[in-house]
Amino acid sequence: MKRLLIDINTIIPYYTEHYVTGIGRSTLELVRSLSKIEEIPFKIILFSQNMRGVKAKEDFPFSYLHFYLPNRPFFKKLSNILHLKSLFCKYDLLHIPSNTDDVENEKKVIYTIHDLAVCRYPQMWGVENNPLFYQQLRASLHNCKAIITCSECSKQDIIAFAHIPQEKIISIPWGINRSIFHPISSPDFVIRLGLPRLYYFSASCNHPRKNLPVLLQAFKKYIENDGQGSLVLLNPIEAELVGVENLIENRRIIVCRRISDMELAELYTFAHCSIIVSEYEGFGFPILESLACHTMVISSQNSSLKEVGGHICDYIEQITPNIICDKLLFYDKIDKSDTLNVRETESHLKHFTWEKCALQYMQFYKKQLGY
């Protein structure tokens, strides 16, 4: 029986901190859904490397390979030089679901590339003056066996950047976990936070491309024009809050950090609208999360965001303070029950399930393994 080794190091924070986002969340949900598929013609082995030990072994029905080594570049390189994964696992295919990495043999590797944000914002990764980094990234994309990405936008970005053939890469959209993200009946967390009845929520504030300064300028204009709501921000960059200290003190802006998934679903549920004004996203989880909680999304319409939001979201033409302010003032005057067509929203969400995602991954694995 052929063997597929899946690197799950990005989900380890879920077991140590009980919270995971982005790449970690997508990897965790993918593995959960793969574990529910009854007939798998090959063996799946999960791989992790850290000094704390095996944290996910009991959660999944798969075999497990764990190295008690620090999960740092030197030790990963040493492991690859010694071919430890091949020695202990004898895998036929290795899936790295967290972009590229240092591996033993790229000819046996599938990479999941979430986006090429590193190319658009190189200063955030310290590679703006490092042409070798881009040479190595292109080489990895050429040398690997295959590539999976989560949106057509990211697929075209990768093809344009690395000049790889279309048939080497496939777009498989992520899903939404409806056991977590659904309308919450009781506003317990909202009450504990002391949130007002009318608030707007932005769960996407932790990177400069999310345009938090523009959103804050828009909210100042909104208040100047007698806007009635407050603005709730999740994990904003602290430096970008300079200048709105008085609004935070007066509870017109409320900052949340390190909340649970259930608390996040509650914030979405009771928000009047959620807001995402990012200038680039490989997928856009906040859109699906908000819609799953039956809350309208005011969204920019670049990169992959329209793929995820479809015809359900309310898209802004340009990311400017005036346009965002006008949107907020417009929604102030609308009852929340009139902002979203629930039937159409639920129909749209059926395109984004982890079950469908896992089945597409399974077909892709089988193809790469020669089944």
Side-chain angles (χ1 to χ4, degrees):
M1 181 179 285
K2 292 185 177 180
R3 297 181 167 206
L4 168 68
L5 183 65
I6 302 177
D7 186 313
I8 63 163
N9 279 295
T10 55
I11 76 172
I12 298 304
Y14 177 77
Y15 295 93
T16 57
E17 302 173 23
H18 309 290
Y19 180 75
V20 69
T21 61
I23 292 174
R25 180 186 293 278
S26 61
T27 303
L28 178 62
E29 296 291 357
L30 173 63
V31 176
R32 279 175 174 166
S33 296
L34 288 172
S35 70
K36 296 175 184 177
I37 297 176
E38 294 184 358
E39 296 185 11
I40 300 177
F42 49 86
K43 185 173 184 178
I44 292 180
I45 302 133
L46 306 180
F47 170 74
S48 61
Q49 176 175 319
N50 60 66
M51 296 302 292
R52 297 185 181 185
V54 177
K55 297 293 183 180
K57 186 174 183 178
E58 296 179 0
D59 279 5
F60 306 106
F62 303 128
S63 299
Y64 206 103
L65 175 64
H66 182 82
F67 290 164
Y68 282 93
L69 294 169
N71 191 29
R72 295 200 294 269
F74 171 80
F75 294 95
K76 290 163 76 172
K77 184 176 287 293
L78 177 63
S79 169
N80 292 328
I81 291 172
L82 298 175
H83 291 260
L84 294 184
K85 294 187 189 71
S86 296
L87 180 65
F88 284 97
C89 176
K90 295 182 173 56
Y91 65 85
D92 298 283
L93 191 64
L94 169 63
H95 178 199
I96 305 289
S98 51
N99 299 317
T100 60
D101 203 354
D102 188 14
V103 295
E104 299 172 354
N105 180 2
E106 284 192 315
K107 296 299 182 184
K108 289 187 174 183
V109 171
I110 294 175
Y111 288 126
T112 293
I113 307 296
H114 296 250
D115 57 50
L116 286 182
V118 68
C119 297
R120 298 206 180 199
Y121 310 95
Q123 67 281 2
M124 294 300 299
W125 282 267
V127 296
E128 64 271 28
N129 298 312
N130 186 358
L132 179 60
F133 169 83
Y134 296 102
Q135 293 174 18
Q136 292 173 337
L137 178 56
R138 285 191 176 93
S140 290
L141 298 178
H142 274 278
N143 294 336
C144 68
K145 187 172 183 62
I147 301 167
I148 305 174
T149 190
C150 49
S151 67
E152 284 297 318
C153 171
S154 286
K155 177 179 176 179
Q156 296 308 317
D157 283 350
I158 293 165
I159 291 172
F161 168 76
H163 305 293
I164 59 173
Q166 292 264 357
E167 58 270 18
K168 185 171 185 174
I169 181 170
I170 186 173
S171 168
I172 301 176
W174 298 132
I176 181 72
N177 187 335
R178 297 308 301 274
S179 68
I180 296 174
F181 295 102
H182 58 83
I184 305 299
S185 58
S186 178
D188 299 330
F189 181 61
V190 167
I191 291 172
R192 291 202 306 273
L193 282 180
L195 297 186
R197 182 189 62 81
L198 178 60
Y199 69 87
Y200 295 91
F201 177 49
S202 181
S204 190
C205 308
N206 60 353
H207 190 281
R209 73 176 188 275
K210 311 289 188 176
N211 286 313
L212 178 57
V214 180
L215 177 58
L216 293 176
Q217 290 176 48
F219 190 68
K220 287 181 180 179
K221 288 180 177 291
Y222 165 80
I223 292 175
E224 292 168 0
N225 285 275
D226 298 321
Q228 298 302 301
S230 293
L231 177 64
V232 179
L233 304 174
L234 180 62
N235 300 323
I237 298 172
E238 197 67 39
E240 294 183 345
L241 297 176
V242 173
V244 295
E245 294 87 351
N246 62 322
L247 295 178
I248 295 173
E249 184 178 349
N250 294 327
R251 302 286 290 173
R252 293 305 300 271
I253 293 178
I254 296 97
V255 173
C256 295
R257 299 188 187 278
R258 299 184 64 81
I259 64 175
S260 69
D261 284 345
M262 294 309 297
E263 291 167 340
L264 177 58
E266 196 175 310
L267 286 178
Y268 279 123
T269 298
F270 294 97
H272 198 61
C273 296
S274 65
I275 309 170
I276 176 169
V277 291
S278 177
E279 62 191 39
Y280 177 75
E281 294 293 330
F283 186 69
F285 274 125
I287 288 181
L288 289 187
E289 292 168 354
S290 183
L291 294 180
C293 295
H294 294 175
T295 294
M296 172 56 81
V297 183
I298 301 169
S299 173
S300 46
Q301 55 180 328
N302 53 60
S303 55
S304 65
L305 296 177
K306 288 199 78 170
E307 287 183 52
V308 180
H311 67 283
I312 306 296
C313 297
D314 189 356
Y315 299 100
I316 56 175
E317 297 174 0
Q318 293 178 298
I319 306 172
T320 68
N322 287 338
I323 290 177
I324 298 169
C325 172
D326 288 345
K327 282 290 184 185
L328 298 180
L329 292 170
F330 170 78
Y331 278 101
D332 264 13
K333 300 178 177 67
I334 299 177
D335 189 271
K336 180 171 179 176
S337 61
D338 296 326
T339 62
L340 197 68
N341 185 313
V342 172
R343 183 183 60 80
E344 290 184 356
T345 300
E346 287 294 336
S347 177
H348 176 70
L349 290 171
K350 289 178 181 177
H351 297 290
F352 300 95
T353 73
W354 284 111
E355 292 75 17
K356 287 183 178 180
C357 177
L359 287 173
Q360 290 183 71
Y361 263 80
M362 185 60 61
Q363 291 303 314
F364 195 70
Y365 289 147
K366 288 166 67 175
K367 178 181 177 181
Q368 301 307 317
L369 286 166
Y371 284 94

